[in-house]
Amino acid sequence: MDFLVNLLAIWARLYPSLVSGFAVTISVALAAIPLALLGALLLTPLRMWGGSIIHAVTGAYIEFMRNTPLLLQIYLIYFGLPLLGLYPSEFMCGVIGIAMQHAAFLAEIYRGGIESISQRQWDAARAMGMTWAKALRNVILPQAGLRILGPIGNQLIILVKDTSLVSAIGVVDLTMVGKVSIERLAVTLEIFLAIALIYLALTGVLGAVLRIIERRVLERIG
Amino acid sequence: MTPNVLINNLPYLLKGALVTLELSVVVLIAGNLLGLVIGIVATSVGRIGQSLITAYIFVLRGIPILVIMLLGYYAFPALGYRVPAYVAVGVAQIIYVSAFVAEIVRSAILSVPSGQIAAARSLGMRRFSILKEIVLPQATRIAIPPLLNNSLTAIKQTSYVSVVGVWELTYAAREVVERTLASFQIFLGVMAIYFIICYPLSLLARRWERRAAVVQ
């Protein structure tokens, strides 16, 4: 009981900084998600239908992003860009790094979705006199889109968890608030318990919302 | 922008790479084994056991690894145990990986049609031999591609231990960059080292994915 009272007292004192850290975490996620989704939208056609050079370059980019740690990608941007005379904020560096990696993962999901539609669908659409572009837009993409809703949702949840890495370059997000508060309040476990619970609530709610959206969409058109 | 800085510091960085490899091997073996046991147990215990395991998986998968590591890092001293930092974060990484493995194993086992199990039981097979001869061989084929991808993620996220001050490849890279200010050469070089470690696993995962697709 003492522990519980103590815990709540600490959490009450933490409340303002938790709120501001949470706001920063959400901002990083909200900035990175559209960038990642759009970046993947740009990468996918280049990877699938670009000429051999473009195909190789986008392939190399995707593989490099998928096979190196996000932390180093963020470091490269944060410590590298100043050498080129560019000084984006820590926040921007974090957002760009997260968006660049997740765009690569999302591009693979998009491609997998499109490739999962049978070649016979293409053939049938073309046999009906559709142009290649029309077959893609009216036949292939709607079906591929439905199939990749789930994987995209999973990737976005990973993205939200990855926002915690911006704390490594000094952005005061939820994770950083935890580290800073340890020095200020001289307690440890109680703080990170609160931080962990907030992340859990965030990803739990996001997961539930994404599942509801997926089910709604599938019911309406699937 | 000469690569000299990278070449001069390569021996130091490779020492870091060795620590990263050791850490990865320990985390992968322990994390996969623990997750495998939890995943199999999840499909063969009563309702209370199942909800406990579901909670374990849900909680761990919903929290960033960095936060789990910091929790582990501070939990040991708070509970009165004095352990070195690399042990604390290593344990945290193993537990984190195990949750993902358990979920993959559990859903792979559950994807085997229950009619097959009923059929095997009606033939008089024992529970253990049903698991061994009917369920696991099919579940393995389903589970291998996601397990390989999960191992890939696990190797990459060993780099996060540098954030709490454990010395390995990423920490070594930051030291060298602070000393030489050659951020592009050093970070790109270190990323190339990670790429060399990760890419073969990536290719293996893709091959198994294709094989699984053909079987279906």
Side-chain angles (χ1 to χ4, degrees):
Chain A
M1 200 59 205
D2 267 3
F3 175 76
L4 213 59
V5 171
N6 194 18
L7 187 68
L8 290 177
I10 291 168
W11 286 2
R13 282 181 63 193
L14 268 179
Y15 184 72
S17 34
L18 286 179
V19 169
S20 75
F22 183 72
V24 172
T25 290
I26 295 280
S27 314
V28 174
L30 285 182
I33 285 175
L35 280 178
L37 289 169
L38 283 176
L41 211 53
L42 199 71
L43 283 170
T44 307
L46 295 177
R47 173 92 174 117
M48 294 189 73
W49 305 301
S52 57
I53 295 174
I54 295 175
H55 175 84
V57 171
T58 45
Y61 171 83
I62 291 172
E63 290 305 331
F64 192 70
M65 285 291 152
R66 281 163 49 98
N67 289 289
T68 54
L70 178 55
L71 182 60
L72 275 160
Q73 293 162 13
I74 292 175
Y75 281 159
L76 184 68
I77 293 168
Y78 180 65
F79 294 105
L81 286 184
L83 295 187
L84 301 177
L86 296 168
Y87 299 91
S89 65
E90 289 89 352
F91 180 90
M92 277 308 293
C93 290
V95 167
I96 295 169
I98 292 168
M100 281 177 74
Q101 180 175 65
H102 284 269
F105 277 94
L106 285 166
E108 285 296 277
I109 294 175
Y110 294 178
R111 185 172 67 95
I114 294 171
E115 283 178 350
S116 76
I117 307 298
S118 144
Q119 179 63 36
R120 271 173 280 175
Q121 302 251 359
W122 283 101
D123 296 342
R126 297 306 294 278
M128 290 177 74
M130 288 187 183
T131 60
W132 181 87
K134 201 164 186 194
L136 178 68
R137 192 161 61 91
N138 293 346
V139 178
I140 306 299
L141 287 187
Q143 302 181 70
L146 288 180
R147 285 194 190 172
I148 61 176
L149 277 178
I152 288 178
N154 291 339
Q155 192 63 39
L156 293 184
I157 291 173
I158 298 174
L159 187 153
V160 168
K161 288 191 289 170
D162 278 349
T163 62
S164 65
L165 285 176
V166 299
S167 66
I169 53 170
V171 177
V172 191
D173 74 329
L174 198 51
T175 305
M176 192 63 169
V177 163
K179 286 202 233 174
V180 174
S181 306
I182 282 175
E183 282 158 30
R184 207 161 49 86
L185 298 183
V187 288
T188 54
L189 218 47
E190 293 85 346
I191 292 171
F192 272 97
L193 219 51
I195 306 268
L197 283 176
I198 296 173
Y199 274 114
L200 188 60
L202 179 58
T203 53
V205 169
L206 181 64
V209 169
L210 288 171
R211 266 196 304 279
I212 290 171
I213 293 175
E214 190 188 351
R215 200 174 332 129
R216 283 273 165 80
V217 173
L218 288 179
E219 268 168 16
R220 192 160 300 172
I221 23 179
Chain B
M1 284 288 274
T2 51
N4 275 342
V5 193
L6 180 59
I7 293 168
N8 289 341
N9 289 290
L10 205 54
Y12 188 66
L13 293 173
L14 287 179
K15 239 186 268 170
L18 206 61
V19 178
T20 288
L21 273 179
E22 286 169 11
L23 185 62
S24 300
V25 168
V26 171
V27 168
L28 285 185
I29 292 177
N32 277 302
L33 274 180
L34 182 61
L36 186 68
V37 171
I38 295 174
I40 293 176
V41 167
T43 58
S44 49
V45 289
R47 211 183 297 157
I48 297 169
Q50 272 180 28
S51 350
L52 281 177
I53 292 174
T54 305
Y56 177 86
I57 292 172
F58 175 77
V59 167
L60 284 166
R61 291 193 355 144
I63 299 171
I65 172 77
L66 201 53
V67 175
I68 297 288
M69 263 173 34
L70 289 165
L71 257 175
Y73 184 72
Y74 293 115
F76 282 103
L79 298 174
Y81 298 102
R82 207 170 270 186
V83 297
Y86 70 90
V87 174
V89 295
V91 169
Q93 294 242 353
I94 289 167
I95 290 174
Y96 195 71
V97 170
S98 79
F100 287 77
V101 173
E103 176 61 20
I104 293 168
V105 170
R106 179 173 71 170
S107 56
I109 289 175
L110 291 179
S111 73
V112 175
S114 59
Q116 292 192 16
I117 296 159
R121 200 170 292 157
S122 73
L123 287 171
M125 284 175 79
R126 295 229 182 96
R127 231 170 84 171
F128 180 73
S129 54
I130 292 176
L131 189 69
K132 200 181 119 215
E133 287 172 38
I134 311 282
V135 177
L136 287 187
Q138 300 185 69
T140 307
R141 210 167 19 217
I142 297 167
I144 281 181
L147 283 178
L148 287 173
N149 280 319
N150 186 52
S151 296
L152 192 67
T153 308
I155 294 175
K156 289 189 291 171
Q157 71 197 12
T158 60
S159 64
Y160 305 168
V161 302
S162 66
V163 175
V164 291
V166 172
W167 191 85
E168 39 67 81
L169 183 53
T170 302
Y171 197 97
R174 289 221 40 194
E175 283 177 332
V176 174
V177 167
E178 266 164 38
R179 197 152 43 75
T180 62
L181 302 177
S183 39
F184 273 110
Q185 291 97 314
I186 300 301
F187 283 138
L188 280 174
V190 166
M191 285 162 97
I193 297 176
Y194 275 107
F195 187 84
I196 292 167
I197 298 172
C198 291
Y199 194 55
L201 202 58
S202 201
L203 289 179
L204 197 63
R206 198 157 292 173
R207 223 175 60 198
W208 273 94
E209 266 161 25
R210 222 171 297 141
R211 198 179 299 177
V214 171
V215 170
Q216 281 167 11

